[in-house]
Amino acid sequence: MFKTIIKDNYDQISSEAFRIMKEVVKEKERPVLGLATGSSPVGMYKKMIADHNSNGTSYKHCVTFNLDEYVGLPKSHDQSYYTFMHENLFDGLDIPEENIHIPSGDADDEKQACVDYENALKQYVVDIQLLGIGSDGHIAFNEPGTPFDAETHLVKLEEQTRIDNARFFDDDIDEVPTQAITQGLASIMRARKIVLIATGKKKAQAVRDMIKGEKTTDCPASILQDHPDVTVILDKDAASLL
Ligand code: GLP
């Protein structure tokens, strides 16, 4: 079930997402946070760091699981999701490194890395899962056509996703990895609560298909129609086709 919140600007969107996140962090004894990359959650991550610095909100008791990671980039690469998460969130908080989980995109055996990641994830129940959405309706790196019952797996990235993400690779699509490890749709659906952020006209069709379209693997995010607690936080552009 979707609760849709439309805000005037990105700062208000980030504040709303942060408010929901902080409630979980404060309430739970051992909060399990499902984290996302992409530009959508960055404003919220800034607010978590600012709140940690000025109000002393601690994240020492939190465990985190990221959604996905590119295959073939070393952790130290400036566009690995490992680097992204440390630069945009973890370096500013007090989460112990051993509580942080990100799929290993540089493992020798990627398939085994997927199995290991899913097994680690299954030791917990994610209390709050943050999501963005791709312009083709993907969540994490579950591209159109991904079966709804998929768990953590290796994926080939769609051309559209690589074009969308080339902006992070000096606009050079050849630099964008062709594969990734991603939590599956079934892994994501196990989270107790989901918060999805989307902004801009480019996301409007995907947002419409997710909420109002048919439930179909053509729009992976449409599986969220079956989840009991999804908050979608949008700007007016992303909400323009609802
Ligand atoms: C990538 C990530 C997704 C993210 C999407 C949208 O493909 N794997 O998790 O939701 O980008 O990113 P942005 O928020 O930058 O639009």
Side-chain angles (χ1 to χ4, degrees), residues 157-228:
L157 297 177
E158 290 294 335
E159 185 76 1
Q160 186 57 52
T161 299
R162 296 180 65 234
I163 291 169
D164 286 351
N165 289 358
R167 63 201 150 115
F168 301 115
F169 291 85
D170 300 324
D171 281 322
D172 182 356
I173 188 167
D174 294 335
E175 290 297 313
V176 184
T178 55
Q179 284 187 303
I181 292 177
T182 182
Q183 283 189 34
L185 296 166
S187 331
I188 293 169
M189 288 291 280
R190 293 198 302 265
R192 285 189 225 277
K193 179 190 276 302
I194 291 178
V195 175
L196 184 147
I197 296 174
T199 59
K201 278 231 150 35
K202 250 179 68 181
K203 303 289 176 73
Q205 186 64 45
V207 167
R208 201 210 82 87
D209 291 348
M210 165 176 74
I211 297 178
K212 296 214 160 145
E214 185 195 338
K215 197 180 77 188
T216 160
T217 55
D218 292 348
C219 175
S222 66
I223 186 63
L224 300 176
Q225 293 173 12
D226 283 350
H227 193 281

Side-chain angles (χ1 to χ4, degrees), residues 19-58:
R19 191 189 61 72
I20 300 170
M21 168 65 80
K22 191 167 169 179
E23 245 172 45
V24 173
V25 170
K26 286 260 168 204
E27 265 170 23
K28 298 269 172 173
E29 206 171 301
R30 189 146 186 80
V32 183
L33 314 181
L35 302 175
T37 53
S39 48
S40 302
V42 168
M44 172 193 164
Y45 291 160
K46 286 204 171 85
K47 290 187 190 284
M48 289 167 74
I49 294 169
D51 173 65
H52 169 70
N53 288 336
S54 46
N55 303 320
T57 303
S58 176

